[in-house]
Each structure stands twice: as C-alpha cells, then as structure tokens.
Amino acid sequence: MSDIAERVKKIVVGHLGIEADKADEKASFIDDLGADSLDTVELVMAFEEEFNCEIPDDAAETIRTVGDAISFLEKQQS
Amino acid sequence: MTLLEGKTVLLTGSTGSLGSAIARTLSSAGARIALTGTNNEKLNNLLMELGSSHSAHSCDLSKFEEIDKLSDTVIEEFGSIDILINNAGVKKDDLLIRMKDDDWFNVININLNSVYKLTKNISKHMFKKRSGKIISISSVVGFSGNPGQTNYVSSKAALVGFTKSLAMEVATRGINVNCIAPGMIDSEMIDSLNEKQKENILSRIPMAKLGSPEDIANACLFLGSDMSNYITGQTIHVNGGMAML
C-alpha cells in the first residue's frame, strides 16, 4: 500500500470511527461507511490539511470512495 | 458570574451600544473576546476598558478579503473560537421607490453577506472541534416588517432563514445556531427617530419602555453558554412584548 493510501485510510478510519479493515478502496463513504454529506465535506477538508493542498469543489464531488480519494491525491501529489 | 469561563468569542460590531454591552456582559462572565469594528479609537477604548486578555481587530465587513483575514487572525491568536456573534449591522432607510441601489447593496452586504462569509469561515473551524455557538442579531422588524426599511428588514429576516438552515446542517456537530431579535432598544439605531415616532413605538410595547442593550447582552450570554445546549435554529425575541411570535 502506498504511503498516500495509508494516510487516506487513516484519516477515513479516524474521522468516521470505523474499523480499519472496513476502509477498503471500493468502500463508498456514504453508502458503505455511514458518512453523511457533512462528513464527506469534512473528509475533503482533512485531506487538504494532511496533504497540504486545495481540492476544488468540482473535484471534491467526484471523491465518493476511499479509492477515489487515493487516486485523486496520488495524481495531485505526483 | 463565570458562565463563559475559558470561552473565546468573536464579536462583530463591538463598538456600537449593543456590541459594547454584549462585550461587557460576556467579559464579566469570563469570556475572552475578539472585538471588531471600523472605528479604531472606539475599539481601543473598549479594549482598554475590558483589559488586555481581549483583543481588538479593525475590519471592514463589506470586504470578503478582510473577513478572511479576521477569521484567520483570531483563530490563530485565540487557538479556538467557541462563540461567534454576528452583531454588526447598518441601516440606510428610505421608501423603496426612492431607495438608492447603493443603499440597498450596502445594507445587504454588511448585514447579510458578511454573516454568510464570516459564519462559513468560523463554522469550518467549529466543525473540527465539534462544538460552537453561532448567534446572529436579527430584529423584530424582520418579523413585523417596517415601512422605509425594505433593505434592513430583508437582511434581518434573511438571518432567520440562514440560521434555521445552518442549524439543521451542523446540528450533529455540536454547533448551536440561533438568532436574537431585539425590539426597540435604546441604542443609536433609534437615535434618528423623532419624538412622535418614538411615542408611537412606545404605545405598541406592552411594557411601555424601550429595552436596554444589556437586555440583548443577557440573551447573548444565555445562548453563548452551556445553559442553551439543546436550543438550535431558534430566535429569542427580546422586545418587551412588542411582538409575540
């Protein structure tokens, strides 16, 4: 697992208070992990802070799963 | 009284009669306050009176970039903002058919748009710490209407809708969002009225007297404290019975 994937999963697990093995890449924040719409906004804010970047609103809307977040951030950080 | 011991407050419009009464009351309750305003002399005088544990920030709320700067500065300085009080307000009265576009926009800008921007910035910070109190000062005329004040009344009614919607959005995050709707308060807001207008107003107030700025400050103290933890999306009417809603 890449360093970015690990950091993303750590944030998701911490923020949503779920068990670590639930945060697999296919898991949808809302449908599978019990997040509400505010949680998704907060997750994006937490990613921005962790990776010291700005995630524009239109990009944030496409981040629905753990995998979406990882691939977006991997692209952005590369 | 130490209802707000250890709490930090960001208060807009601190130097007006309402704002300074709120600042005094919250300060005596133990809060540390970031005072904001546009008149540096008045700001500094208030800061001297309340003491150096507080801070003063000059900010023109009609400019979003100044609001961003204010938010960042206060969060950095205090480390945390527990209570946001959107108190700043202006009025530019005229009948609608004579109203100047600038007077419309200026009032909406200060009374509503700045509340949007500042509350957005500060609520982000409150999200993270899972607690906060957001209090906006509306007005009885936002409920009753008032001729000559379409701009002011629109802004004050809008704060109520804003408050209800935001209260729903952030309720699960430990953030309470409420309004206070003052009636006729003995402040600069009514200085421009003539005697006849004042008499007319008094005749419509069951208590037959104006409210004091401290009456509003006490409502702020309640809504800012843990005493009001189960209250959100509401408006507290402080009006001597002028409107019973």
Side-chain angles (χ1 to χ4, degrees), chain B residues 198-219:
Chain B
K198 281 186 191 164
E199 263 172 42
N200 181 26
I201 288 166
L202 282 177
S203 73
R204 290 189 288 139
I205 303 174
M207 286 187 185
K209 60 178 181 184
L210 297 174
S212 71
E214 288 70 31
D215 291 321
I216 305 306
N218 288 334

Side-chain angles (χ1 to χ4, degrees), chain B residues 3-4 7 82-83 130-133 170-171 173-178 221-234:
Chain B
L3 271 179
L4 300 183
K7 301 282 187 192
D82 300 304
I83 304 164
R130 289 287 188 271
S131 71
K133 306 274 194 179
V170 301
R173 299 303 192 272
I175 304 172
N176 302 59
V177 194
N178 291 292
L221 174 59
F222 172 65
L223 286 178
S225 77
D226 289 340
M227 311 270 287
S228 62
N229 280 353
Y230 198 55
I231 299 176
T232 198
Q234 308 298 322

Side-chain angles (χ1 to χ4, degrees), chain B residues 63-80:
Chain B
K63 301 196 172 97
F64 275 14
E65 60 271 22
E66 290 206 15
I67 296 177
D68 284 343
K69 197 174 140 228
L70 173 73
S71 317
D72 291 346
T73 309
V74 176
I75 289 172
E76 196 182 324
E77 186 178 271
F78 283 2
S80 163

Side-chain angles (χ1 to χ4, degrees), chain B:
Chain B
M1 197 161 43
T2 53
L3 271 179
L4 300 183
E5 197 64 57
K7 301 282 187 192
T8 51
V9 180
L10 173 53
L11 170 67
T12 66
S14 303
T15 60
S17 42
L18 230 54
S20 54
I22 294 169
R24 286 184 190 105
T25 299
L26 270 48
S27 165
S28 344
R32 193 175 167 208
I33 307 168
L35 308 159
T36 77
T38 48
N39 182 323
N40 280 329
E41 194 187 338
K42 283 188 183 173
L43 262 180
N44 288 332
N45 288 343
L46 187 62
L47 183 63
M48 295 240 288
E49 177 194 330
L50 296 180
S52 58
S53 64
H54 307 283
S55 67
H57 307 266
S58 175
C59 180
D60 177 355
L61 292 172
S62 68
K63 301 196 172 97
F64 275 14
E65 60 271 22
E66 290 206 15
I67 296 177
D68 284 343
K69 197 174 140 228
L70 173 73
S71 317
D72 291 346
T73 309
V74 176
I75 289 172
E76 196 182 324
E77 186 178 271
F78 283 2
S80 163
I81 296 176
D82 300 304
I83 304 164
L84 166 65
I85 304 179
N86 293 308
N87 165 68
V90 294
K91 67 186 180 78
K92 290 273 164 71
D93 298 350
D94 212 338
L95 297 173
L96 181 69
I97 50 169
R98 283 200 309 233
M99 187 169 289
K100 295 186 183 66
D101 291 350
D102 273 355
D103 288 347
W104 172 270
F105 285 123
N106 286 340
V107 168
I108 297 295
N109 221 5
I110 300 284
N111 295 9
L112 178 62
N113 294 343
S114 77
V115 171
Y116 148 75
K117 187 63 172 172
L118 185 59
T119 306
K120 182 170 141 177
N121 291 351
I122 303 303
S123 63
K124 248 186 207 176
H125 159 79
M126 288 175 170
F127 269 11
K128 285 187 196 155
K129 61 192 192 77
R130 289 287 188 271
S131 71
K133 306 274 194 179
I134 297 170
I135 303 165
S136 298
I137 306 298
S138 178
S139 169
V140 65
V141 298
F143 293 80
S144 64
N146 202 24
Q149 290 198 311
T150 49
N151 48 2
Y152 182 80
V153 170
S154 298
S155 70
K156 293 302 179 182
L159 290 182
V160 174
F162 177 85
T163 290
K164 289 178 181 177
S165 304
L166 180 62
M168 287 176 184
E169 289 183 12
V170 301
T172 56
R173 299 303 192 272
I175 304 172
N176 302 59
V177 194
N178 291 292
C179 274
I180 294 168
M184 289 304 148
I185 305 299
D186 197 357
S187 71
E188 67 271 0
M189 278 283 177
I190 64 153
D191 282 348
S192 57
L193 300 178
N194 62 37
E195 282 311 308
K196 200 174 162 212
Q197 285 171 315
K198 281 186 191 164
E199 263 172 42
N200 181 26
I201 288 166
L202 282 177
S203 73
R204 290 189 288 139
I205 303 174
M207 286 187 185
K209 60 178 181 184
L210 297 174
S212 71
E214 288 70 31
D215 291 321
I216 305 306
N218 288 334
C220 281
L221 174 59
F222 172 65
L223 286 178
S225 77
D226 289 340
M227 311 270 287
S228 62
N229 280 353
Y230 198 55
I231 299 176
T232 198
Q234 308 298 322
T235 299
I236 295 190
H237 293 273
V238 184
N239 62 26
M242 183 179 177
M244 301 188 182
L245 299 154

Side-chain angles (χ1 to χ4, degrees), chain A residues 4-12 47 51 66 69-70 73:
Chain A
I4 287 180
E6 206 167 312
R7 283 153 75 194
V8 165
K9 286 182 183 178
K10 198 174 165 201
I11 288 171
V12 173
F47 297 146
F51 294 96
V66 177
I70 293 168
L73 289 161

